[in-house]
Amino acid sequence: MKVGFYGHVRQYHNLKEEIDAAILEVLESGKYVTGPTLARFEKELAAYWGTKHAIGCNSGTDALWLSFLALGIGPGDEVITVANTFFATAEAIWFVGAKPVFVEIEPKTCNVDVSTIEAAITDKTRAIVAVHLYGQLVDMPAVAEIAKKHDLLVIEDCAQAIDAAGPDFRSGELSDVVCTSFIIQKNLGTFGDSGAVMTNRDDLPDRIGALRNHGSLKRSHHTMGYNSRLDDLHAGILSVKLKQISEWSDRRREIAAMYTAGLKHLPWIKLPCELPGYRHVYHLYVIEVDRRDAMLGYLNDSGIDAKTHYPIAIHKQEGFPWGNPSDGDVCLPLTEVHAASVISLPMFPELTQGEIDCVIETVCAWGG
Ligand SMILES: *Cc1c(COP(=O)(O)O)cnc(C)c1O
């Protein structure tokens, strides 16, 4: 049996009637850019997220980048984040001329080790970017406390954790802005690129709204800006899918529980850790093993499309523009061990019971 990594086409088929109708509605409306479908989706998204505002833009990367610009983060500033995230988190910091400063992860959850943040704060530090990796929220109350003490901005990179929750807090409650992505492979994805910024701050929507639209909030009037809008076509598709997100998260959690039950007796495997009271939405189900490359090859050869997120930490990337960290600048041993041992098993709501069982059996059958 072959088990794929994504269920995009299955998901489309399950919602085909509604999605096709939403697409046709936009096509027939004649309003494709900053039209009423986008405005409606932004309202729905803010209501869903529990924030005062949601502003669509054309990717998660741009959501981060435009947020940093709107918050006035720029050259000379340092922004604290982690190196075990998708490259875009650091890239967006770099785009505005600021410098990402990486801190260590907490190996159980693979999220930032909040206790390492304070030591990284300098007089140049402006912000903390909390990345909710794999679908579990960072301990935001702890991050917010540090930010308050040192007068720092807090940005949530929630590209992987839409619909996640903490025991007594939600995304958006304890930060200046939340950025998310709707690229197809995310838990809420459209057929292409797009993203959004959520915030409770009243001073940001107009700034971000202008930045995404050539600096223009009023026809023919401009400040400096860019072109980074969320198309109405994607907004219409996302409106349909947003209604399903909680159900999809529940199904991801159910599949994760099956994986965990089927694999937990294996002594050589580290399984994802769900913190008490947290709603982990399993954007990815990531295991860790010693001989990662060998096992990944075995799984792929056996027909299981497993992948790695992320095998090269950002400070080890060739494109990392701040010099080689082996220069002694960046020392992140836990992050590096993590990058060398991760494997993401197939995880999407449309997996069948046969496929789930096949993944478990194949992993269990690995000789090491
Ligand atoms: C996907 C992702 C992004 C970037 O989103 P795009 O829409 O692909 O630009 C940023 N951060 C994290 C953690 C992501 O997973």
Side-chain angles (χ1 to χ4, degrees):
M1 178 185 249
K2 280 202 185 315
V3 185
F5 197 76
Y6 299 116
H8 309 152
V9 178
R10 288 183 196 177
Q11 187 177 84
Y12 170 56
H13 287 159
N14 289 342
L15 291 172
K16 185 170 167 31
E17 259 175 55
E18 272 189 89
I19 287 175
D20 288 358
I23 291 171
L24 282 178
E25 194 184 310
V26 176
L27 293 186
E28 294 291 351
S29 77
K31 298 189 173 120
Y32 312 129
V33 181
T34 59
T37 311
L38 172 62
R40 187 191 66 200
F41 174 63
E42 288 175 329
K43 274 212 189 75
E44 292 167 356
L45 186 62
Y48 162 77
W49 216 283
T51 51
K52 284 164 84 174
H53 313 282
I55 307 109
C57 44
N58 77 7
S59 69
T61 309
D62 283 14
L64 288 163
W65 170 52
L66 298 182
S67 295
F68 296 148
L69 284 174
L71 290 165
I73 297 169
D77 293 337
E78 292 179 356
V79 178
I80 295 174
T81 192
V82 288
N84 69 327
T85 170
F86 182 58
F87 194 68
T89 311
E91 196 178 23
I93 297 169
W94 175 69
F95 277 166
V96 297
K99 181 183 174 187
V101 173
F102 299 118
V103 293
E104 267 290 21
I105 59 168
E106 186 285 299
K108 251 165 58 188
T109 60
C110 310
N111 272 333
V112 61
D113 180 346
V114 179
S115 72
T116 65
I117 292 178
E118 274 196 296
I121 295 175
T122 71
D123 54 6
K124 292 183 182 154
T125 309
R126 283 289 311 285
I128 301 168
V129 177
V131 182
H132 305 310
L133 200 73
Y134 303 151
Q136 180 156 244
L137 296 188
V138 167
D139 180 355
M140 290 305 293
V143 171
E145 195 180 308
I146 294 170
K148 193 166 171 218
K149 185 167 153 202
H150 297 272
D151 194 21
L152 303 176
L153 297 161
V154 179
I155 295 98
E156 295 177 68
D157 183 338
C158 203
Q160 303 192 359
I162 182 169
D163 206 47
D168 49 10
F169 66 93
R170 288 183 63 180
S171 162
E173 281 178 358
L174 296 165
S175 60
D176 291 277
V177 299
V178 186
C179 300
T180 199
S181 163
F182 305 121
I183 193 172
I184 181 67
Q185 62 263 38
K186 296 293 157 68
N187 288 22
L188 175 64
T190 184
F191 307 112
D193 278 305
S194 59
V197 180
M198 275 62 62
T199 182
N200 286 314
R201 281 179 53 164
D202 293 325
D203 59 330
L204 294 177
D206 275 2
R207 276 191 236 166
I208 295 169
L211 283 167
R212 73 165 178 192
N213 189 36
H214 306 289
S216 179
L217 290 169
K218 191 173 154 201
R219 191 173 174 79
S220 304
H221 294 258
H222 299 268
T223 55
M224 281 309 243
Y226 304 90
N227 177 351
S228 178
R229 297 169 297 228
L230 196 169
D231 299 327
D232 282 56
L233 204 54
H234 288 310
I237 294 162
L238 287 165
S239 271
V240 173
K241 290 194 172 193
L242 182 62
K243 290 189 234 143
Q244 306 293 323
I245 186 66
S246 292
E247 211 176 287
W248 286 337
S249 305
D250 290 345
R251 174 66 179 154
R252 285 173 181 272
R253 289 175 53 73
E254 191 177 270
I255 296 167
M258 285 189 251
Y259 278 164
T260 298
L263 303 176
K264 66 172 192 256
H265 65 284
L266 302 171
W268 42 267
I269 203 168
K270 177 174 167 280
L271 297 177
C273 158
E274 218 175 288
L275 293 175
Y278 279 68
R279 175 172 167 85
H280 190 325
V281 293
Y282 293 96
H283 171 60
L284 296 165
Y285 187 96
V286 176
I287 60 170
E288 289 179 60
V289 295
D290 284 342
R291 293 182 56 233
R292 190 267 310 282
D293 292 343
M295 184 174 186
L296 186 66
Y298 157 78
L299 289 173
N300 292 161
D301 290 347
S302 313
I304 311 286
D305 188 9
K307 297 188 187 297
T308 50
H309 299 82
Y310 297 89
I312 309 173
I314 294 179
H315 65 294
K316 292 285 187 189
Q317 290 285 352
E318 257 173 66
F320 182 72
W322 295 276
N324 190 329
S326 43
D327 301 344
D329 216 32
V330 188
C331 180
L332 302 166
L334 296 173
T335 301
E336 284 162 32
V337 168
H338 175 256
S341 56
V342 286
I343 295 180
S344 313
L345 299 180
M347 169 55 81
F348 53 91
E350 297 79 15
L351 278 170
T352 65
Q353 192 61 48
E355 289 169 331
I356 296 163
D357 294 342
C358 171
V359 171
I360 293 171
E361 279 159 28
T362 311
V363 172
C364 289
W366 193 53

